[in-house]
C-alpha cells in the first residue's frame, strides 16, 4: 500500500520534460488541452496519495485508533517508515494549502481591482481603453469579457498592429484561456514537480492566440511584428496590477513565439501521437496507483475494525 502511494508523488517530476516536447510536436490548442488535463489528473492523484499517507500515520496513534473502533492494529510497514512519511505528507499538504490560499487571495484582489477599473470606463464593444503612459494590454475574463489596453500601448503600435493585438486578446477570451491558467496554477500548488509545467501551459495559450490572430489578419509576419513591438514597448514599463490568469500578448518567451510565427507552418510530426501517449501514460499511472493505494488503505482499515476481508 505505502509503496503504491509513493508512485503518484514521483510521477509529477517526469511531466515537465514531456510537456516541453509536447508543445513542439502538437498544435498549440491540442498541447494546451493535453497538458492541462494531464496536470489535473497528476495533481489530484498526488493529493489523494498524500492524504492517504497522512491518515495512515494518524491512525497509528492509539487515541485515533480507538475512535476508529479498531479491534486490531492497522497493518502497515514499520513505524520508522510510516510516521516520517506521514509527517512529510502533512507538511507538504499544509504548505501547498497555505501557498494556494495566499495566491488565490492575491489574484482575487487583483482581478477585482482590474474589473472595477475596466467597468468604470466607457467601452467600445469589448474594448476598454485605460489612460496610462505604461504600455499594456490583456484579456480580462468575466461578464462581459473585456480587452483592456492602455493609451501607452495604442501609441506604441501602428493601426494594423493594433488589430493584431486586439485579435490576439479576443482569441484568449474566446478560448477561455484564463481557465487553463487557473488550473495550471492550482496544479502547481498541489505538487512542486508540476510548477515548471505552469509556464509551458501559459506558453501554449499564447501560441494558440498567436495562431488565431494570424488567421484573422491573414499575415503571419505582421502578427510576429506586432507581438514583438508590443513586447518591446512593455519591457521597460512597470507591469500593471492585472491578475496572472489574465493572459496578455506580451507575456512568455516572445522571441520563441515570434520565431514560430515566422516559420512556415509544419505538418504534424510522426512523434506527436507518442507524446500524447506519454502524457496519457503519466496520468494513467498516477491515477491508477493512487486509486489502488487508497483502496488498499481502506481495506486495511476494514480489517483493523474486525470486518472480514471480501
Amino acid at each position: 500500500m505505502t509503496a503504491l502511494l509513493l508512485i503518484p508523488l514521483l510521477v509529477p517530476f517526469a511531466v515537465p520534460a514531456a510537456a516541453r516536447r509536447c508543445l513542439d510536436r502538437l498544435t498549440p490548442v491540442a498541447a494546451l488541452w493535453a497538458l492541462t488535463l494531464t496536470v489535473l489528473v497528476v495533481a489530484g492523484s498526488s493529493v489523494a496519495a498524500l492524504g492517504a499517507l497522512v491518515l495512515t500515520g494518524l491512525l497509528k496513534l492509539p487515541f485515533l485508533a480507538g475512535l476508529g473502533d479498531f479491534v486490531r492494529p492497522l497493518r502497515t510497514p514499520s513505524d520508522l517508515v510510516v510516521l516520517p512519511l506521514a509527517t512529510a505528507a502533512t507538511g507538504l499538504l499544509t504548505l501547498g494549502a497555505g501557498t494556494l490560499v495566499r495566491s488565490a487571495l492575491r489574484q482575487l484582489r487583483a482581478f477585482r481591482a482590474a474589473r472595477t477599473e475596466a467597468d468604470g470606463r466607457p467601452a467600445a464593444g469589448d474594448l476598454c481603453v485605460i489612460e496610462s503612459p505604461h504600455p499594456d494590454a490583456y484579456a480580462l475574463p468575466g461578464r462581459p469579457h473585456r480587452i483592456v489596453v492602455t493609451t501607452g500601448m495604442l501609441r506604441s503600435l501602428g493601426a494594423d498592429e493594433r488589430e493584431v493585438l486586439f485579435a490576439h486578446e479576443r482569441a484568449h477570451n474566446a478560448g477561455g484561456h484564463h481557465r487553463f491558467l487557473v488550473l495550471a496554477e492550482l496544479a502547481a500548488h498541489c505538487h512542486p514537480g508540476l510548477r515548471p509545467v505552469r509556464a509551458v501551459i501559459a506558453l501554449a495559450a499564447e501560441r494558440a492566440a498567436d495562431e488565431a490572430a494570424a488567421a484573422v489578419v491573414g499575415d503571419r509576419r505582421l502578427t510576429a511584428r506586432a507581438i514583438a513591438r508590443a513586447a518591446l514597448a512593455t519591457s521597460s514599463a512597470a507591469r500593471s496590477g492585472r491578475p496572472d490568469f489574465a493572459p496578455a500578448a506580451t507575456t512568455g518567451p516572445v522571441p520563441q513565439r515570434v520565431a514560430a510565427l515566422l516559420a512556415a507552418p509544419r505538418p504534424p510530426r510522426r512523434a506527436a501521437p507518442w507524446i500524447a501517449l506519454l502524457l496519457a501514460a503519466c496520468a494513467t499511472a498516477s491515477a491508477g496507483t493512487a486509486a489502488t493505494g487508497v483502496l488498499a488503505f481502506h481495506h486495511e482499515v476494514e480489517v483493523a475494525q474486525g470486518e472480514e476481508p471480501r
Side-chain angles (χ1 to χ4, degrees), residues 28-30 32-33 36 126 139-141 145 147 166-183 201 204-206 208-210 212-213 245 247:
V29 173
L32 185 60
W33 277 98
T36 304
D126 61 349
L140 184 63
H145 292 323
I147 298 172
F166 299 158
H168 179 100
E169 304 303 350
R170 287 192 178 101
H172 278 314
N173 280 333
H177 292 168
H178 62 282
R179 298 186 180 93
F180 295 93
L181 300 182
V182 169
L183 294 175
I201 290 177
E206 293 304 324
D210 289 344
F245 60 82

Side-chain angles (χ1 to χ4, degrees), residues 8 11-12 15 37-47 191 194 282-283 286:
V11 170
V15 176
L37 291 175
T38 299
V39 297
L40 278 181
V41 173
V42 173
S45 301
S46 67
V47 170
H191 195 289
L194 296 176
C282 289
S286 185

Side-chain angles (χ1 to χ4, degrees), residues 38-291:
T38 299
V39 297
L40 278 181
V41 173
V42 173
S45 301
S46 67
V47 170
L50 288 172
L53 289 173
V54 170
L55 289 176
T56 302
L58 290 176
L59 291 177
K60 298 292 288 185
L61 301 176
F63 172 71
L64 293 177
L67 291 179
D69 296 326
F70 285 4
V71 298
R72 57 173 65 96
L74 185 67
R75 294 186 304 184
T76 63
S78 169
D79 289 355
L80 296 177
V81 174
V82 171
L83 294 182
L85 285 176
T87 301
T90 302
L92 288 173
L93 283 176
T94 303
L95 179 62
T99 58
L100 176 60
V101 169
R102 287 196 298 271
S103 176
L105 291 176
R106 177 174 59 85
Q107 295 300 319
L108 183 59
R109 286 193 296 267
F111 173 71
R112 285 179 174 174
R115 193 75 215 186
T116 299
E117 183 178 32
D119 291 343
R121 303 295 179 104
D126 61 349
L127 182 63
C128 176
V129 178
I130 303 294
E131 187 68 38
S132 172
H134 301 300
D136 196 15
Y138 56 92
L140 184 63
R143 295 185 178 179
H145 292 323
R146 290 278 187 248
I147 298 172
V148 179
V149 60
T150 64
T151 52
M153 178 62 81
L154 293 177
R155 286 193 291 266
S156 300
L157 302 178
D160 53 352
E161 294 167 340
R162 295 175 194 168
E163 291 304 317
V164 171
L165 184 67
F166 299 158
H168 179 100
E169 304 303 350
R170 287 192 178 101
H172 278 314
N173 280 333
H177 292 168
H178 62 282
R179 298 186 180 93
F180 295 93
L181 300 182
V182 169
L183 294 175
E185 181 74 14
L186 174 63
H189 289 285
C190 292
H191 195 289
L194 296 176
R195 289 174 186 170
V197 188
R198 176 173 48 186
V200 183
I201 290 177
L203 176 57
E206 293 304 324
R207 285 281 298 112
D210 289 344
E211 294 296 331
V216 169
V217 300
D219 190 335
R220 298 180 68 86
R221 295 188 65 85
L222 171 61
T223 304
R225 185 175 75 242
I227 297 299
R229 290 194 62 180
L232 288 174
T234 58
S235 62
S236 59
R239 178 180 167 172
S240 66
R242 58 181 168 85
D244 292 339
F245 60 82
T250 57
T251 58
V254 174
Q256 181 178 343
R257 293 166 50 201
V258 169
L261 284 167
L262 293 178
R266 297 172 298 182
R269 299 185 181 182
R270 291 183 178 181
W274 294 106
I275 294 300
L277 286 175
L278 179 59
L279 291 174
C282 289
T284 302
S286 185
T289 53

Side-chain angles (χ1 to χ4, degrees), residues 20-39:
R20 287 187 288 270
R21 291 186 174 274
C22 177
L23 192 54
D24 293 334
R25 289 165 171 79
L26 297 178
T27 65
V29 173
L32 185 60
W33 277 98
L35 291 174
T36 304
L37 291 175
T38 299
V39 297

